[in-house]
Amino acid sequence: GSYPQLYYFYNKVAPLRVVRHIGPHQGKRFYGCSYFPWEDEIDDIREMQQLMFEKDVKIAEWELHKSELEMKVKRLKDRKSELED
């Protein structure tokens, strides 16, 4: 079947693996990265990744808004100086 991709450090795709040794987890799928979540935990991880992405987008929007406000303040200060002269 098709399994969702999980991205970890530096946007690398974590490989989906299967436990091969004999034991209670034999045959269970997991994503092979430094933190290896079980395949059935992926929804929680994808939700967390989505929240992190949304946070990064919001920060970028705030930084852009801050830059726009800084430019507006500079123009107002320049205009004030012109009027004072």
Side-chain angles (χ1 to χ4, degrees):
S2 177
Y3 295 93
Q5 290 185 332
L6 174 66
Y7 293 90
Y8 65 110
F9 304 110
Y10 307 108
N11 287 327
K12 292 184 180 179
V13 176
L16 184 62
R17 301 174 190 232
V18 178
V19 175
R20 301 213 186 278
H21 68 275
I22 297 172
H25 297 293
Q26 185 176 17
K28 193 168 183 178
R29 291 180 177 89
F30 67 97
Y31 288 90
C33 53
S34 57
Y35 162 72
F36 66 94
W38 298 109
E39 179 266 331
D40 56 2
E41 297 174 335
I42 190 66
D43 289 336
D44 295 337
I45 292 169
R46 288 176 93 42
E47 182 179 326
M48 185 173 32
Q49 287 179 331
Q50 180 63 32
L51 290 173
M52 290 172 60
F53 173 76
E54 290 170 3
K55 172 199 60 96
D56 290 343
V57 168
K58 196 63 163 171
I59 288 171
E61 289 173 350
W62 288 340
E63 288 174 344
L64 177 62
H65 184 65
K66 177 184 173 237
S67 295
E68 291 169 347
L69 289 174
E70 288 171 342
M71 289 188 321
K72 186 174 182 178
V73 167
K74 184 183 180 321
R75 284 193 308 268
L76 289 171
K77 284 181 179 179
D78 290 346
R79 180 70 177 141
K80 178 184 175 195
S81 288
E82 289 174 9
L83 292 172
E84 289 175 344
D85 290 343

